[in-house]
Amino acid sequence: MSLSALVLLLLLVCVQANFYGIVVNYYPSGNNSTGASTGILYYKLGYSLCLYSVPYYINGQPLVLQKVDEPISGEWCQTEGVISQYFSSNSMFSIPASGIDWIFGIKNGIVSFKIQALVELRIRSDIGKANTSPQTTIIPAIRVPSNCPRNLSLLMFDPDGDIVKCRNGDASLSECSPCTPPSVLSLSPSSCTLSFSPTNSSDEGPYAVQLMIEDFPRQNITLTQTNGPQTIITTNDAISKMPVQFVVRVDPAVPSCTEGLFLPMFLPPTPAHRTQLYTYVNQTLAISIKAQTLNSTISELLFSAPHTVTESQTGPGQFTLTWTPSNSVAGQSHPICFVVQAVLGAAKYHSELRCVIATVALPTTSPNTPACEYEGLD
Ligand SMILES: *[C@@H]1O[C@H](CO)[C@@H](O)[C@H](O)[C@H]1NC(C)=O
Ligand SMILES: *[C@@H]1O[C@H](CO)[C@@H](O)[C@H](O)[C@H]1NC(C)=O
Ligand SMILES: *[C@@H]1O[C@H](CO)[C@@H](O)[C@H](O)[C@H]1NC(C)=O
Ligand SMILES: *[C@@H]1O[C@H](CO)[C@@H](O)[C@H](O)[C@H]1NC(C)=O
Ligand SMILES: *[C@@H]1O[C@H](CO)[C@@H](O)[C@H](O)[C@H]1NC(C)=O
Ligand SMILES: *[C@@H]1O[C@H](CO)[C@@H](O)[C@H](O)[C@H]1NC(C)=O
Ligand SMILES: *[C@@H]1O[C@H](CO)[C@@H](O)[C@H](O)[C@H]1NC(C)=O
């Protein structure tokens, strides 16, 4: 037995963690004279505890993970892995379910995790460079009380301006196995909103959400590999396909569904959902978040963002997320999503999900809005 096989086995035996979801996004990085491109893949991985490496490789490379966020009580840990990877042209890849299963007791019967992604890095005729994937993120577990209606609206945006849609994963495309969507959620593909309606207490528990987000060109385009064949992509063809998997926990009923009593309510200056914020390389972006409750106690902010984003508590129910982007993300836009959690005894209550788009403007292009001011997208 080779040493590397041995190490892999030891990892499988030692890892007591359970899977809590994944988000994959990518950016291309430059043209290659051979007609191929390098993609920078951003993985957000959720586990029941913090793992800084995983017992599998992605196209032969180990995934080194950096912590994004972990609730005070443990429960889950989200980490980010960034891999710069060379692709010969377009590339489809999967992460097999191996060694680590989803958390126990998933109500829609998902046990093993599986993802499939399509990374497309041939040159697009409309923009003269390789495609960027649609971008999103989410914390590993979102809580909803069983008696309250809730719309969970995922942030989806596309740096190339493509049309973005989301859909449930398809088992016949190896995107998950099985792909049974949660019975308690209904999906609107164009806005990627998951709607929850008040339900029976027998439906309480964790559900695995296994979505794919895809970008479609606004007109027919040609994909070209230098000295290679061309492919036409129509407005009905997804250019890239990115997995988004996470848990929705249906909790016991809350005495009141009104925001601001048990469920935290956001207050100004918390940015509105989908606000676009601008900054520059080495310039710090600070996002102030404020929430209140009357009948429970706000315990913490939970967030998903690039792992270089840091959090601080500035007062009761007041938090700041801070990001100083490095050169490696110049010109990129990254999603930052958060919820405020409150507690009452053993009960945990989540605010609605809010997300912003943080754009790291290139020094040569001046942004439309001065940094640190908010511009709504709606
Ligand atoms: C360009 O392609 C070659 C393979 O033909 C690869 O080895 C190299 O890493 C690529 N360079 C970049 C910058 O992507
Ligand atoms: C990349 O290569 C394509 C095709 O060769 C070319 O049209 C385009 O201008 C190049 N883009 C950049 C940013 O170099
Ligand atoms: C959810 O969205 C639908 C459609 O926009 C709306 O009719 C409904 O009131 C929303 N529900 C909640 C709880 O916000
Ligand atoms: C809730 O579920 C239980 C068990 O399935 C069932 O007996 C009960 O009738 C349900 N109640 C409602 C209001 O649907
Ligand atoms: C886009 O491509 C499809 C398939 O080749 C073709 O049927 C359609 O007419 C094209 N649409 C436009 C607007 O060119
Ligand atoms: C950002 O800071 C780093 C480290 O101080 C420096 O190497 C880099 O050149 C700076 N980049 C810009 C665009 O100012
Ligand atoms: C919530 O707190 C307010 C203020 O303390 C109190 O008047 C109200 O009765 C509480 N509501 C519930 C449902 O406990």
Side-chain angles (χ1 to χ4, degrees), residues 97-307:
S98 62
I100 298 176
D101 284 339
W102 278 89
I103 55 166
F104 300 113
I106 297 261
K107 301 275 282 184
N108 49 332
I110 316 298
V111 176
S112 303
F113 84 92
K114 181 174 194 171
I115 66 158
Q116 179 75 240
L118 173 63
V119 176
E120 175 57 75
L121 289 167
R122 286 174 289 183
I123 306 300
R124 292 175 57 151
S125 55
D126 55 344
I127 54 175
K129 59 188 180 85
N131 186 60
T132 301
S133 76
Q135 308 285 314
T136 191
T137 197
I138 186 127
I139 61 171
I142 297 279
R143 291 174 177 274
V144 288
S146 62
N147 59 324
C148 301
R150 184 75 74 94
N151 289 332
L152 175 60
S153 203
L154 269 66
L155 175 73
M156 295 193 300
F157 67 94
D158 188 280
D160 302 318
D162 297 323
I163 291 164
V164 187
K165 292 179 195 166
C166 79
R167 59 172 172 81
N168 286 305
D170 182 341
S172 72
L173 301 174
S174 300
E175 291 167 348
C176 24
S177 175
C179 291
T180 320
S183 54
V184 295
L185 298 171
S186 65
L187 176 67
S188 305
S190 59
S191 63
C192 208
T193 300
L194 291 158
S195 297
F196 175 82
S197 300
T199 186
N200 195 322
S201 60
S202 64
D203 293 330
E204 289 166 7
Y207 293 81
V209 178
Q210 303 176 102
L211 301 175
M212 298 296 292
I213 60 169
E214 301 174 321
D215 50 349
F216 296 83
R218 291 179 185 273
Q219 59 197 38
N220 286 0
I221 60 167
T222 307
L223 297 174
T224 308
Q225 201 176 341
T226 308
N227 305 324
Q230 296 194 330
T231 307
I232 292 175
I233 296 281
T234 72
T235 51
N236 293 322
D237 301 320
I239 311 172
S240 61
K241 302 178 195 229
M242 296 289 120
V244 182
Q245 300 186 358
F246 59 100
V247 168
V248 169
R249 263 184 197 282
V250 178
D251 283 334
V254 61
S256 167
C257 294
T258 305
E259 284 188 340
L261 300 183
F262 297 85
L263 307 178
M265 175 173 68
F266 283 119
L267 298 175
T270 313
H273 193 42
R274 306 186 205 281
T275 298
Q276 181 142 24
L277 306 176
Y278 295 92
T279 189
Y280 293 96
V281 169
N282 294 346
Q283 180 182 295
T284 299
L285 174 71
I287 303 167
S288 297
I289 296 157
K290 190 174 178 190
Q292 80 171 20
T293 53
L294 284 179
N295 304 81
S296 62
T297 307
I298 290 180
S299 56
E300 61 188 301
L301 179 77
L302 305 173
F303 69 95
S304 178
H307 71 267

